[in-house]
Amino acid sequence: IFCLKLCVVTRLIIMVLFCKAPCAPRNPATDSIRVDTSAIAALEAARLEQETEAGRLRAEEEQRMLEAEAAERARLEEEERRLREEEEAREQARLAEEARLREEEQLRQEREEEARRIEAERLREEQARRERQDAINAFCTRYGFNPDNLDEPRKNSCTVFGATKTYALLQAAEEGDAKMVEMMLEEGASPLQQNSSKKTAVQLAEKKNKQGSHNAVLQVLRNSTAGGA
């Protein structure tokens, strides 16, 4: 638009300055060229103004383009940051979930292992108790004691001093049967039981001890007394 205006103005000025009477015949003697310097200056000023305006518009356009490019870069960077943060959050959530599942699985396995251990221990104790009871039953049957009540004494025939009594634990101690003494203690027999002579299992084992024959019995009884103290 500015270029078109400039061309039109330029042509008009040329016509005014250099062609006063385009249809009149030329007279070489009288014709002369007169230059209007003010018009030329105005023309130059208009051209400079137009160039300045065009430059300003180009600069504004370039600035708008730069700002638009910067805004687009900022938007893309923000979008990239947001997507990266979302991806990191998803990854952290996934890792946390995996850790939670691993912990739950580990706890489940530990609980199952503990349950198996407890059950195995219970079965071992039950088996050991059955074996103890079977052995005690056999021992009590052999010596005439009540296997269902180890605190019940066995009374012997009367003597001039009266009826005598003893207990299964004392009998086992006298026999030097350390394993039987231990099993009876585990089944609740008291190591402080006394026979009719006021003798305890320890005293009877000490009396019977010959060359260490009852050392094992004495050790079991002393351990039991120390543990109950």
Side-chain angles (χ1 to χ4, degrees):
I1 295 172
F2 288 109
C3 293
L4 180 60
K5 289 181 177 180
L6 180 60
C7 292
V8 172
V9 170
T10 302
R11 291 179 62 186
L12 290 173
I13 292 174
I14 292 172
M15 291 177 65
V16 170
L17 292 177
F18 301 103
C19 189
K20 289 177 120 183
C23 297
R26 294 180 178 271
N27 186 353
T30 60
D31 288 346
S32 63
I33 299 174
R34 288 180 297 174
V35 177
D36 191 343
T37 57
S38 61
I40 295 175
L43 178 61
E44 181 65 16
R47 184 185 65 80
L48 291 175
E49 183 180 357
Q50 291 172 356
E51 290 180 354
T52 301
E53 180 66 14
R56 185 185 64 79
L57 293 175
R58 283 195 302 272
E60 290 179 354
E61 181 64 20
E62 290 176 357
Q63 183 63 27
R64 283 194 297 269
M65 292 178 62
L66 291 175
E67 292 175 354
E69 290 176 358
E72 180 65 12
R73 281 197 304 272
R75 187 189 68 79
L76 292 176
E77 290 174 357
E78 177 63 21
E79 180 69 11
E80 182 180 357
R81 183 192 61 78
R82 183 184 64 80
L83 293 175
R84 185 170 60 252
E85 289 179 352
E86 290 178 355
E87 180 63 23
E88 290 175 354
R90 285 192 295 269
E91 181 64 14
Q92 290 176 357
R94 183 185 66 81
L95 294 175
E97 179 66 11
E98 289 181 355
R100 184 186 66 81
L101 293 175
R102 283 196 302 271
E103 184 177 358
E104 286 184 354
E105 178 63 16
Q106 182 178 355
L107 291 175
R108 184 188 65 79
Q109 293 178 358
E110 289 176 356
R111 286 194 296 268
E112 290 180 354
E113 182 64 25
E114 180 65 11
R116 286 193 295 268
R117 187 192 64 77
I118 292 174
E119 179 63 14
E121 182 66 21
R122 185 189 67 80
L123 293 175
R124 282 194 299 271
E125 291 179 355
E126 186 176 323
Q127 178 64 23
R129 184 169 187 178
R130 282 198 300 266
E131 292 175 356
R132 286 197 306 270
Q133 290 174 342
D134 290 344
I136 291 171
N137 288 341
F139 183 89
C140 289
T141 300
R142 178 182 176 186
Y143 289 99
F145 294 97
N146 181 6
D148 296 326
N149 187 1
L150 296 177
D151 289 329
E152 181 181 327
R154 182 196 68 193
K155 293 183 179 181
N156 296 329
S157 57
C158 295
T159 67
V160 293
F161 300 103
T164 60
K165 68 175 183 178
T166 189
Y167 293 88
L169 178 66
L170 276 61
Q171 183 72 41
E174 283 190 285
E175 295 292 328
D177 192 341
K179 184 65 177 176
M180 183 56 62
V181 169
E182 183 178 12
M183 288 190 292
M184 288 183 178
L185 291 172
E186 289 177 350
E187 287 299 310
S190 172
L192 302 179
Q193 292 172 343
Q194 295 178 341
N195 63 10
S196 54
S197 300
K198 303 299 182 182
K199 300 294 184 182
T200 64
V202 170
Q203 292 170 328
L204 293 173
E206 287 175 341
K207 183 178 180 180
K208 289 283 187 176
N209 192 19
K210 303 299 181 184
Q211 297 181 348
S213 60
H214 287 59
N215 283 348
V217 171
L218 290 169
Q219 184 65 43
V220 171
L221 289 168
R222 286 165 182 162
N223 288 343
S224 175
T225 304

